[in-house]
Amino acid sequence: MEKQWLGLEEKVAIVTGAASGIGKHVAEVLKAVGATVVVADLTVETGEELAGMYCIKCNVADPDSVNAMAKTVIDRYGSIDILVNNAGLNRPRLLVDVKGERPEYELNVKDFDLMFNVNVKGLFLVAQACARQMIKQGKGVIVNMSSASGKEGSVGQSAYSATKGAVDSFTRSWGKEISPHGVRVVAVAPDIMEATGLRTPAYEEALAYTRGTTPDKLNTDYKKSIPIGRPGKLDEVGWTVAFLASDRAGYITGTTINVSGGKSRG
């Protein structure tokens, strides 16, 4: 295969949470530019293939599962060149349900722990397991999936926003810690994107309640709220990740790149 501009041929990439949503699009873009992509997801079975990508069942919040996943990749491919730390979840919840009508949409310990276990603890566990191998190799790139809400805050999503703020902080600190060992750490922060298929009616109902509206009124006139005038495309996140994972972005580390159409602050 003729080398492409990004030069990701022969690179081994792990994408967590890649069976659906943004992660699926990121994985497909990386595969399209020549990388060997491993789908690490709780919803797949180890050894099966998803669109030509090898799958490993992995619970990112479980250290044993994460370490076994990393070992499987190393044993099978000999290296880990790229990690896209994408697995995450969101439960729209209010700090206080002022109206008192839907107490299930008030932030509770169960929902708080779930979001932090996956979005923060899981991010740390997978990054650590892969960084150990990358440091041995003397090269590698970790791309963490953040969110504009981690910078801006978001009504009804305070815990989720806090987890993404942690992602940005991890990215800055790890960039300083391990870039001297040849491992870059960056993050991407999408804002309003096209539908992923993960926004279920239950999610829409919860989000609408926390924002004092109804599900049918959640969508807004994006030409007014987004300078570019439209939601982002999922593949646009994928292409941003592919660039950051390539040597073309070799001087970028310890920072978060907005993919927001100009809506979010840098």
Side-chain angles (χ1 to χ4, degrees), residues 5 13 37 49 73 122 133 137-138 144 160 179-180 194 208-209 229 235:
W5 183 77
V37 180
E49 287 199 352
V73 175
Q133 175 63 24
Q137 299 166 181
N144 295 321
Y160 175 76
S179 291
E194 64 184 345
Y209 181 79
D235 280 350

Side-chain angles (χ1 to χ4, degrees), residues 25-38:
H25 284 256
V26 170
E28 290 173 347
V29 167
L30 289 172
K31 182 176 182 293
V33 297
T36 298
V37 180
V38 176

Side-chain angles (χ1 to χ4, degrees), residues 165-219:
V167 171
D168 291 341
S169 292
F170 276 145
T171 299
R172 289 191 292 269
S173 295
W174 294 341
K176 293 178 179 180
E177 284 183 22
I178 62 178
S179 291
H181 302 281
V183 183
R184 293 189 295 110
V185 186
V186 293
V188 295
D191 200 314
I192 297 174
M193 307 301 295
E194 64 184 345
T196 66
L198 297 178
R199 288 182 63 145
T200 63
Y203 175 90
E204 295 281 328
E205 183 179 352
L207 183 62
Y209 181 79
T210 64
R211 294 183 175 178
T213 187
T214 56
D216 61 301
K217 294 180 180 178
L218 274 174
N219 293 329

